[in-house]
Amino acid sequence: MSQPIQFVWQSCRALYVFLSHRIQILLWIGIPVLLGLVSLGAGRDVSWDLRNYHYYNVYAFLENRLGFDIAPAGQQTYLNPLLDVPFFVMVQNLPATWVGFIMGGIHGLNLSVILYLFLHIYRDASHKFKFHAGIILFLSNLFAPGFFSQLGTTSNDNFISLLVLLSILTLVSSRETSSFKMGQIHIKVVVAGLLMGMATGFKLTAAIYALGSAVALLFLQKGWQVKTKYFVQYCLSGICGGVMVSGFWWWKLWLLYQNPVFLYFNQIFQSPYLQKLIVADYHLFTPKNLWESLIFPLLLSWRDKKFIDTNFIDFRFGLIYVALILLTLLALSKFRLNKAHFSSQKICFLLAFFIVTFVLWMAVFAVYRYMIALELLVPLLFFILLTYILPSYQMALWVAWLMPITAYHVWSTSSWWKQHGRTDWSQSYIEVDTSRLPHIPNQSLVILAGSEPAAYTIPFLPKHIRFVSAHGAGWDYKGVLFQKIQSLVSNYQKSGTVFILSEKEDPPNSVWKHLQHLNLEPNPLDCYPLPTNMRYDQLQLCQVKKQTAQDE
């Protein structure tokens, strides 16, 4: 072997030995940095939700505009803005690439938590085994379709999954930690409950994880007395976590609209501000019968366009489903399974959490991005099942390569992740050119009535302008909320100026459909462009006038 080749070989071997014994450096520094760079390669987020409410809601919260503007981001106007505050602050103070890098790095901690959970379960295994298995798990989750599509974006699903996974990791590590008990309170259980409660408080769709983990917690300890104590402590701390991050917002919505989760669950709270019941029709994506429910994990492996905002397939759920069925059949047939070198109660907890949460997700949502935490757990659970079924860890390693191979196949043969609301990077994350707009009088009202969201432009426009949605919230034309919009339009026509903000390419009939409920029509002579860097948006601001008797 020549000296240069020998030098390279010895250097790689030394690097391997160094990293395999310093796994914590890779976990908590290397992976976030790498995922931050991957986020830059994926592109800048210009998704619908960012243009609609992720940016505007924080601005409205900080400027106290919740009662000043009326539903400019539709029903999403009333979602808790706290989770988007860090993004808003970064956009205001950092170049776009730094924002994308930091967001990607934070999301990358999901993979760090998964690998740490793996190391905790297989802590008695050799360094070589853990290093090779860690690479498999890392690659499997790096190309996970749901996780990758949300990497570095403002959808917050990857951040919610981080809180969920941290909670699960804390519960698993609490199984054998008696030194963290303080009286009758187990600190780790309380911390786990707080994390899960925060996730649910930030985003109510995370309630499936809270319910799944509460049920699974009964499998983590022996003895019903201990189970009951853990369960009660976990649930109470979860409630506290939810109140910590959203209590202020629930109270504010209650004071303003008599509904703490306005606009949702109004059949319970009966807020007069909304007459039409706002119910997300997720059942379009849930199984239609018992047979489809039983094979649903397999359906993920071949059915395209099954879920909201996705256009991909995921073979990995089919793989773990087959492995789980095989393990069950072998156990029932009294086949001698491989003796695991880890706590069976921890594995029962993880499997119970995964199964219960997946069933809840399937029954309630079946929206792929709401189960990012489960998606990231799939490779680890698949590997655990293999170690039970196969006679050796080495064989399990070889079979486990099915996970990253199938994930990479989906990633490399699909363009969904490029089309998921991404564009090229610019100097500033959000740019809105207001130089072509005329002087806007103090008494001015802007109605958002386009086919594309435009609330993200509001922070760039004068603060004295009031903004409303042409269709209220959820197309409700009977509630007090829409009546307030009608009253504002009428008042500003008498003593002010009314504009409409829409897409240049919006068909006139579409704009008219939005305006007819307000007795207005567009004035094509007074339109001004409002260029932005948010993908293909070509917005314009047009002055509108009262509908004539002839038009009526």
Side-chain angles (χ1 to χ4, degrees):
M1 183 180 295
S2 62
Q3 288 186 347
I5 296 177
Q6 187 175 10
F7 174 77
V8 171
W9 169 254
Q10 291 177 348
S11 299
C12 291
R13 186 176 179 83
L15 180 63
Y16 162 76
V17 173
F18 175 82
L19 292 178
S20 64
H21 287 79
R22 290 163 179 82
I23 199 68
Q24 301 295 337
I25 298 176
L26 278 178
L27 282 183
W28 306 112
I29 298 178
I31 290 177
V33 169
L34 177 61
L35 269 292
L37 297 174
V38 172
S39 174
L40 294 180
R44 180 168 56 93
D45 178 21
V46 289
S47 61
W48 174 283
D49 286 348
L50 170 58
R51 291 178 288 143
N52 189 38
Y53 74 94
H54 283 301
Y55 192 68
Y56 164 77
N57 280 11
V58 179
Y59 170 75
F61 170 61
L62 297 177
E63 297 292 335
N64 197 28
R65 296 179 68 95
L66 187 60
F68 188 69
D69 301 331
I70 302 180
Q75 64 190 62
Q76 283 82 17
T77 304
Y78 305 98
L79 297 178
N80 186 351
L82 192 60
L83 194 53
D84 292 311
V85 170
F87 172 78
F88 183 89
V89 173
M90 287 191 292
V91 168
Q92 296 288 311
N93 296 280
L94 296 175
T97 50
W98 273 103
V99 177
F101 175 79
I102 294 172
M103 293 285 286
I106 293 172
H107 294 169
L109 288 171
N110 279 280
L111 306 194
S112 301
V113 174
I114 290 291
L115 288 173
Y116 191 86
L117 181 58
F118 160 76
L119 293 174
H120 178 80
I121 294 173
Y122 289 91
R123 59 187 176 184
D124 295 329
S126 66
H127 287 294
K128 182 177 181 181
F129 166 79
K130 288 187 287 189
F131 191 78
H132 290 168
I135 291 176
I136 294 175
L137 294 178
F138 173 75
L139 293 177
S140 300
N141 282 330
L142 175 63
F143 298 113
F147 171 78
F148 194 95
S149 67
Q150 308 298 318
L151 181 63
T153 71
T154 57
S155 75
N156 292 326
D157 293 294
N158 281 355
F159 186 78
I160 295 299
S161 66
L162 177 59
L163 293 177
V164 170
L165 292 174
L166 282 171
S167 175
I168 297 303
L169 173 62
T170 307
L171 285 175
V172 170
S173 63
S174 73
R175 170 68 180 84
E176 57 204 21
T177 310
S178 58
S179 59
F180 281 85
K181 290 181 180 178
M182 184 177 62
Q184 295 299 314
I185 299 176
H186 199 298
I187 300 300
K188 285 198 172 184
V189 173
V190 171
V191 171
L194 288 173
L195 290 169
M196 191 65 75
M198 290 170 63
T200 306
F202 280 133
K203 198 163 186 174
L204 290 178
T205 55
I208 58 172
Y209 296 112
L211 292 172
S213 58
V215 173
L217 188 59
L218 300 176
F219 293 85
L220 191 59
Q221 296 289 342
K222 294 181 179 180
W224 281 104
Q225 186 177 4
V226 178
K227 291 176 187 285
T228 303
K229 286 183 179 179
Y230 274 37
F231 182 83
V232 171
Q233 292 174 16
Y234 181 70
C235 293
L236 291 178
S237 59
I239 294 173
C240 292
V243 172
M244 281 171 52
V245 298
S246 286
F248 77 100
W249 190 250
W250 295 336
W251 179 246
K252 187 168 188 174
L253 292 181
W254 174 260
L255 293 178
L256 289 174
Y257 305 109
Q258 290 82 62
N259 182 341
V261 288
F262 189 74
L263 311 156
Y264 303 99
F265 300 108
N266 208 47
Q267 69 272 30
I268 299 174
F269 297 103
Q270 299 293 311
S271 169
Y273 286 84
L274 191 70
Q275 293 296 316
K276 181 180 177 182
L277 188 62
I278 301 298
V279 179
D281 194 6
Y282 293 123
H283 292 290
L284 290 172
F285 315 100
T286 55
K288 303 304 184 291
N289 50 59
L290 178 60
W291 171 246
E292 190 169 339
S293 299
L294 292 174
I295 64 170
F296 203 72
L298 299 176
L299 295 179
L300 295 173
S301 301
W302 68 70
R303 183 175 298 178
D304 284 356
K305 300 181 180 178
K306 174 67 180 176
F307 310 111
I308 292 176
D309 68 15
T310 62
N311 185 22
F312 56 81
I313 55 179
D314 193 347
F315 298 102
R316 299 173 314 145
F317 280 92
L319 288 174
I320 192 173
Y321 190 52
V322 171
L324 189 59
I325 292 175
L326 180 59
L327 179 63
T328 303
L329 293 176
L330 291 175
L332 292 175
S333 64
K334 298 183 180 180
F335 180 84
R336 186 175 180 180
L337 299 172
N338 183 39
K339 185 177 180 180
H341 298 286
F342 37 73
S343 170
S344 60
Q345 283 159 309
K346 293 180 182 179
I347 306 308
C348 288
F349 166 76
L350 289 174
L351 287 174
F353 168 73
F354 183 88
I355 293 171
V356 173
T357 307
F358 183 86
V359 170
L360 290 171
W361 169 84
M362 180 179 66
V364 179
F365 304 121
V367 177
Y368 197 96
R369 64 190 181 94
Y370 292 164
M371 67 159 180
I372 300 297
L374 296 185
E375 178 192 50
L376 296 176
L377 279 171
V378 164
L380 174 59
L381 292 178
F382 181 67
F383 189 78
I384 290 173
L385 294 177
L386 290 180
T387 57
Y388 274 107
I389 297 171
L390 300 177
S392 68
Y393 279 178
Q394 190 63 35
M395 188 175 294
L397 280 175
W398 282 107
V399 178
W401 275 102
L402 286 172
M403 280 284 167
I405 290 173
T406 54
Y408 179 76
H409 171 75
V410 174
W411 181 87
S412 62
T413 58
S414 304
S415 59
W416 53 265
W417 61 272
K418 299 176 184 177
Q419 300 169 352
H420 192 85
R422 306 270 193 172
T423 193
D424 296 332
W425 292 98
S426 57
Q427 178 61 30
S428 298
Y429 209 100
I430 300 177
E431 297 173 357
V432 178
D433 182 7
T434 61
S435 62
R436 303 184 194 181
L437 298 182
H439 171 72
I440 300 178
N442 288 335
Q443 293 295 320
S444 295
L445 178 72
V446 174
I447 305 169
L448 283 75
S451 60
E452 292 290 327
Y456 70 93
T457 64
I458 294 176
F460 297 88
L461 298 173
K463 293 182 180 180
H464 64 262
I465 304 175
R466 298 189 73 171
F467 297 86
V468 299
S469 170
H471 49 77
W475 302 94
D476 175 33
Y477 299 120
K478 297 181 180 179
V480 174
L481 201 66
F482 191 75
Q483 292 172 12
K484 281 195 168 188
I485 293 176
Q486 289 178 312
S487 177
L488 275 178
V489 172
S490 177
N491 292 338
Y492 273 83
Q493 279 194 298
K494 294 175 183 177
S495 60
T497 309
V498 180
F499 296 89
I500 180 172
L501 182 60
S502 65
E503 286 274 315
K504 279 186 178 181
E505 302 302 323
D506 280 338
N509 290 339
S510 174
V511 176
W512 165 246
K513 179 182 178 182
H514 294 164
L515 293 176
Q516 61 184 350
H517 297 278
L518 299 171
N519 199 32
L520 294 169
E521 65 179 8
N523 181 355
L525 298 178
D526 297 320
C527 290
Y528 309 93
L530 186 63
T532 78
N533 69 338
M534 299 302 283
R535 204 177 183 179
Y536 46 74
D537 282 1
Q538 296 294 324
L539 300 175
Q540 62 180 3
L541 191 69
C542 299
Q543 189 172 347
V544 295
K545 60 183 179 180
K546 204 168 189 177
Q547 193 174 29
T548 63
Q550 182 179 359
D551 292 329
E552 292 177 358

